[in-house]
Amino acid sequence: MLTAAGALSLLPACGQIGGQGRITLAHTLDENHPVHLAMVRFREELTRLSSNTLAVEIFPNGQLGTERELVELAQIGAISMTKVSSLSLENFSPDMGVYSIPYLFESAEHQYRVLDGDVGREVLQTLDAVLLKGMGYYDAGARSFYMTDGPVNTPDDIRGKTVRVLSSEALVKTIETFGGAAAPIAFGELYAALQQGVVDGAENNPPSMITARHYEVAKFYSLDEHVSAPDVVVMSKGKWDSLSEQEQVWVQEAMDASAVYQRELWQKASDDALTELEANGVQINRPDKAPFREAVADLRATFNGTRVGDLATRVEAAAGGV
């Protein structure tokens, strides 16, 4: 993979292509992932809405850098848009940390209600202060443990193990609460880390385990579903501000349509991924979540009285549709 600085040489220096306005959209996933397919839908919708006056170029597979590097490139306007996990965005906006609290959402419907509501919009708006425009959320499912040496049936099965995580304070503390050691490793380096025993396991959703081929080196997948952190699509604030009001409307409408489409794709992709994992010899188990919830109760209490804790209270209040 090219370094982020070297990858910039792949991008045209100007903001126009043949008279069209140009939007560059980069991400780290492959072309079969629901995120990429949703971004293709974004491009199609924006082409239609703008009558082909705005062109979108998509750079998948980490061509232009890691997730963090892509966010930094967006901040300086070197690329227009990217997708980043809310877990990683904690390092840019602390409010994003609310989505890292373990067992925060009761269901996918509860999560959608929050993301599409006041809390979701409020958290997106905090990104303005770090030169990013929060455009919307993609579904990233629930994160569960996959290990190289055995299943995770209880939190004690994490004790003494090294688990790869994204760079999220709450996620790191969750692993430590279970008695493990958290290792923030770039996603592109994780296959080798699992293969070489640098880490004992990782945690992610089923489609990502498939597309990264981690099932080849981690044969035990335990659906404890400890965190349901969404993906966030962000745009360079400078790029957003450079668009006309009408162009901004088109871009947001295209993004909204893309998010709806991505959610439709996600559930099928997740179900298909579990089937494919089993076909490739992965042992899938569904542990009782009660011991995991109990293990993180004190961790969740540490957020009481904080901004993130206040947001979490509002999230929990939305569980019943209030």
Side-chain angles (χ1 to χ4, degrees):
M1 182 183 73
L2 294 173
T3 64
L8 291 180
S9 64
L10 296 175
L11 300 174
C14 65
Q16 299 282 323
I17 298 178
Q20 294 175 305
R22 176 174 149 273
I23 290 174
T24 51
L25 201 168
H27 64 87
T28 61
L29 301 168
D30 73 24
E31 290 96 329
N32 296 315
H33 197 283
V35 163
H36 179 80
L37 298 176
M39 289 177 171
V40 172
R41 175 61 63 90
F42 168 80
R43 178 173 62 194
E44 294 169 349
E45 285 295 306
L46 188 55
T47 297
R48 180 184 64 82
L49 289 165
S50 71
S51 300
N52 206 34
T53 61
L54 289 175
V56 178
E57 291 182 283
I58 303 174
F59 295 84
N61 293 311
Q63 292 178 55
L64 303 187
T66 65
E67 198 167 75
R68 184 181 180 91
E69 288 170 338
L70 293 177
V71 174
E72 292 170 347
L73 290 175
Q75 285 180 301
I76 64 174
I79 63 172
S80 305
M81 298 176 69
T82 189
K83 184 283 301 178
V84 59
S85 171
S86 65
L87 295 162
S88 298
L89 277 179
E90 285 179 47
N91 300 297
F92 297 87
S93 169
D95 281 13
M96 283 286 170
V98 67
Y99 301 132
S100 307
I101 295 177
Y103 299 107
L104 178 67
F105 298 108
E106 292 189 359
S107 64
E109 292 73 23
H110 177 203
Q111 185 180 36
Y112 295 159
R113 192 180 303 122
V114 169
L115 299 181
D116 295 340
D118 291 343
V119 172
R121 288 188 291 269
E122 189 175 315
V123 173
L124 285 179
Q125 289 169 2
T126 64
L127 296 172
D128 288 2
V130 291
L131 305 180
L132 297 169
K133 167 69 175 175
M135 300 301 300
Y137 299 97
Y138 282 163
D139 194 343
R143 301 177 75 89
S144 295
F145 292 111
Y146 49 87
M147 311 296 287
T148 59
D149 61 352
V152 174
N153 291 305
T154 71
D156 283 343
D157 292 323
I158 295 297
R159 189 169 302 280
K161 304 293 178 62
T162 301
V163 180
R164 180 266 179 182
V165 297
L166 284 168
S167 183
S168 155
E169 182 180 359
L171 195 49
V172 168
K173 288 181 177 178
T174 297
I175 303 302
E176 292 174 347
T177 296
F178 294 157
I185 295 174
F187 191 65
E189 300 170 6
L190 179 53
Y191 186 103
L194 288 164
Q195 187 177 49
Q196 296 167 11
V198 175
V199 295
D200 300 298
E203 45 84 61
N204 215 319
N205 54 59
S208 294
M209 189 180 182
I210 282 289
T211 57
R213 303 184 72 86
H214 292 163
Y215 61 84
E216 295 177 348
V217 287
K219 293 294 187 180
F220 301 91
Y221 196 23
S222 303
L223 301 180
D224 69 297
E225 300 181 327
H226 48 274
V227 168
S228 296
D231 283 337
V232 186
V233 180
V234 297
M235 176 174 263
S236 163
K237 187 66 166 56
K239 179 64 176 180
W240 174 261
D241 290 342
S242 75
L243 299 173
S244 69
E245 288 187 13
Q246 180 60 75
E247 288 172 332
Q248 289 178 350
V249 170
W250 290 334
V251 170
Q252 188 63 65
E253 287 185 4
M255 175 60 216
D256 293 346
S258 170
V260 170
Y261 181 59
Q262 194 270 347
R263 289 179 185 177
E264 294 172 357
L265 293 175
W266 182 261
Q267 188 57 59
K268 183 178 187 304
S270 188
D271 292 342
D272 289 349
L274 289 174
T275 299
E276 188 173 348
L277 288 171
E278 287 188 302
N280 280 278
V282 174
Q283 177 184 315
I284 297 174
N285 65 300
R286 293 170 172 79
D288 179 4
K289 295 179 185 178
F292 293 89
R293 291 178 183 272
E294 292 169 8
V296 298
D298 288 345
L299 170 60
R300 292 187 61 168
T302 65
F303 293 99
N304 294 345
T306 69
R307 165 66 177 168
V308 167
D310 291 344
L311 287 170
T313 298
R314 292 167 61 190
V315 169
E316 289 164 346
V322 177

